Amino acid sequence: MLYINCPHCGLRSQNEFAYGGDATVKRPELNKEISDQEWDNFVYLRKSPRGKHLELWHHISGCRQWIKVERDTSTHEIFKTYKANEAIE
Amino acid sequence: MSQDFRLDNVGMVNREKKISFKFNGKKYFGFEGDTIASALIANGVHLVGRSFKYHRPRGFFGVGVDEPYAILQLDRNNERDPNIRATEQEIFEGLEVKSVNCWPSVNFDIGAINNFLKMFFPAGFYYKTFMWPPSFWYKIYEPFIRMAAGFGEASIKHDKERYEHKYEYCDLLITGSGPSGLASAYAAAKNGARVILAEDKPRFGGSLLTSDVNIGNQTGVEWTEKIIAELKSMPNVTVKNRSQVFGYYDHNMLVMSERISDHLPKTQKYLPKQRLWYIRANEVLISSGSIERPLVFGNNDTPGVMLSSAAKEYMKVYGVLVGKKPLIFTNNDSGYETAIEFKKNGVNPIILDTRSNPSSDIITEAKNLNIEIRFSYVVVAAKGYKKVKSADIAKISDDKKELFNIENIECDCICVSGFWTPSIHLASQSGNKSKFNEKIDAFVPDKSKQKENTIGSANGIFTLEETIKDAFDKGFDVSNKITEKNNKVSVPTVVEKKSTDHDKFWCVPLPKGKSYKRFLDFQNDVAVSDIELALREGFRSIEHVKRYTTLGMATDQGKTSNLNGLQLVSDIENKVVPQVGHTTFRPPYTPVSIGAIVGREVGKHSKPTRKSPMHSWHEKNNAVFVDAGVWLRPRYYKQGNEGLFEASKREAKNVRQNVGVCDVTTLGKIDVKGPDAAEFLNRVYTNAWLKLPVGKARYGVMLREDGIVMDDGTTTRISENHYHMTTTTAQAANVLSHLEYYLQLVWPELNVNVVSTTEQWAGAAIAGPNSRKLLMKLFPNLDVSNEGLPFMGYKEADLFGVPTKIYRISFSGELAYEINVESDNGYFMWKKIMEVGQEFQIQPYGTEALSTLRIEMGHVAGSELDGRTIPYDASLEGLVSKKKDFIGKRSLNRSAFTSTDREKLVGVVPIDKTTSIPEGSYIVKDPKAKLPNPKLGHVSASCWSVEYDNPFSLAIIKDGKNMIGQKLFAMSPLKNKIIPVEIVSSHYVDPEGKRVRS
């Protein structure tokens, strides 16, 4: 079970969190004309990298904040965690 | 029966306390502190089971977790427990165990015929035999295999024992209390670290209990007792026996099962049977020790053939002789320790050493004790069926290929030692890639992957002096990283006998003309010939060989068989063992009770139960409850002999004719507050929200980004920057996460806060033509006229002194109001409604009537908004704004979503007006069409329309809007029904919506 350092609460067990997928996906701006392809990329297409991955976790049984976690998908090593609005190094 | 094989004055069992127990119905005696194995051996019993495939007689092979044979079934306190290892289970007064995998008895087992048919049971037997014809599988092959296979029978009764889970954190977890575990725990504890020391056996000390050594001028046992006593007195140390750390998971999370009551006749009050510990450790020291390897020779599975270290432990710990004419067969010095122990207890062993001319302290000591030793000698085959009676032995050539001078000598047990295999399971589970150590012919942990270190013989260190020193150092080093106290204790001096190198020889060749089975895996009956066959048939990867032959599978997970299997494969393939590699070690290290894994989450504790504040009223009034997510909701209120159908019909009818009240507390409620709240709702919902005035509610639909409807509900503007959102009961948690996602990550610039208020409000829906009259009585000072409180209006009022919020919204399609009060006042509110409503013929209604009312009105709910429908499909397209953007809008332009013949919501009525249509039925044009019959859609919800007194269903069917008036068929292959139906509008009752606005 992962041990995730919530930037708001500190180290907490994985079972307090819900996984939220790729954190690098950016939602297209509202009211912007975009192609089907661009929209499909946003809604459906995700990379599934082996190795470093920036992902979203939601601390649902804690502070209810969405956080970003930089994790290695093959070793589960967590390098760093960020608040939702923090700049990614 | 007398304990003929019990030694006087030797061992650690409590001879003051005699204990009786039953094995296969027969009564035996042992002493407190005995295991089933030691007590049975004391009574001369060696035949305890039958093997998995050939049903060959099985005895005892080990003395602990590695035991492959002695698996028994235990009956304790009216509970049945299969898969008990006799070498681990301690006896208690009244214990009853029996053998498994044999019928009618362990002594006479019909399945043993397999042993004589063994040429028909080669490796991969199952794959080869049960292949054809396929139709035989379910009816003939599978039942046959199920009857023949398996160790013991699981209970089908509810397990009444209590199992607990515990979460623990520590600086240092040490897995095993042998010399390295004790030394490192002591060093770390003295340095101020929070230490957990776990030992799987009842007694601490590991090999110190049986080896003839001296630490700091004390015997191994004395030193163990001293260290354990001191550790137990320290507040920063937790010491646990009967506790097996069986799994090493991510981020230094380890799981340990503690057997608290298994050794007692009955679980004590306030204590669980077992406790599962989830331990998050900063650092882990793996001191799990090593397991002796067998030597392989003919019939080496005969009862009486066992590990030499086990024989020694039976003597030293339990005071039990495994035989009175022992043959010791060894390729290293360990066998000599066992032989010396026999000699000390007045028994004359014979040592067969595969080595030609070894010399060491211990060999000299054995010689001085006049023990008969034969060098370059091997056991060719054990003789005897249910117990070893003699052995064919032979001299072996220096190249270990030729056997000479085969002779038969009498013996009653054969103690084998093929050197030691470190238990690297935990290290391997942590992600540590092991490496092969040529010197000990075994794998040891390599570089640490997580925060783990392996010490002692688990790391391939087999001298006590080095073990103790290394363990003291590691205990200090890892603790000092955490505590930085620099408090180092001195390492005690160690005296032990020096030993010499082992022989790499491990498998005795077959003499000419003999075809003895030489077993590698004792639990699964995998013999040398099986591995040879698998390789001949082309299996190369060790993982494939394992699965094809079942080598190293089953409950012992190959603790004694793995390395010999690898050695054999590498010998045949002309490779070295590291080239072959080893199979993956997976948790659990030892079998764990399902009960322990489940813990307290059984029955009604498997999930929380949420009850509304009015729950006790419902109970008192004969409500029959239904699970709605984790909520318990009244499904209907039973009167007299009514069933679900009659009651729900009565309740729904009363809503249409008079007035009903429904507990709607379970609806999700979310407070949305902030200056940008309107803008936020406008982006979340498909319809327009910017112009909703204060004091008004609006129905809204929200989508996922892929255009699928996520949820629906009404949201009310309480004040300028404050909205009260409702969601469906089922989606409440998801909607909150969804809103938080957008506020925190996508549009952080919006100044809005959301918080769940589901549990803060108790809700009652009052619906029916009489509801306004009732409201006038409940709130005499409030103007509840159609002008004063119009449809979708909102008012705050006072219910006999209790602050109340009134929303004029309707799910039933009738004139209706939802009344909310703070949860604490919910019961009061409900009582008042029922009391005052009496004169208007009020009746409570449950979820079944609620469904009936919404279905015949054509209002969609979870069965239509099923994660596959877009607004159009559920006839909600009128709520989709063309002017503004919102979550998921772009998806609605995708070609599949704009196609004109999409499935759409319709109503379905059976032509005979009497046959109910099962939910989930297909709508088809021709019920006799060739299969697969093209389906037009499915029936999503069915009810008995109380308005028209006939069945009515909702369905989502292809090109629904053009299907109204068509005569089709509802087909339910599950219920074997074909019902002619007519498609009608989904708005079956009051299509203009006059009632809600009346």
Side-chain angles (χ1 to χ4, degrees), chain B residues 650-661:
Chain B
R650 167 182 52 75
E651 291 168 8
K653 214 163 174 176
N654 192 57
V655 172
R656 294 268 182 255
Q657 289 172 355
N658 301 303
V659 60
V661 58

Side-chain angles (χ1 to χ4, degrees), chain B residues 546-621:
Chain B
K546 167 179 171 173
R547 278 152 189 85
Y548 191 59
T549 62
T550 68
L551 172 79
M553 287 164 68
T555 63
D556 70 334
Q557 290 283 292
K559 289 182 181 68
T560 51
S561 64
N562 265 340
L563 257 169
N564 284 344
L566 297 182
Q567 298 210 33
L568 179 65
V569 172
S570 49
D571 284 356
I572 298 170
E573 295 267 277
N574 275 324
K575 285 180 181 165
V576 287
V577 173
Q579 279 176 297
V580 174
H582 60 72
T583 53
T584 312
F585 295 98
R586 291 193 179 84
Y589 176 62
T590 51
V592 183
S593 311
I594 302 277
I597 293 168
V598 175
R600 300 296 305 277
E601 292 166 19
V602 190
K604 72 175 177 125
H605 299 297
S606 62
K607 59 180 185 354
T609 304
R610 296 173 84 178
K611 297 174 183 171
S612 92
M614 289 83 95
H615 188 84
S616 59
W617 190 95
H618 305 322
E619 274 180 330
K620 269 181 261 167
N621 289 273

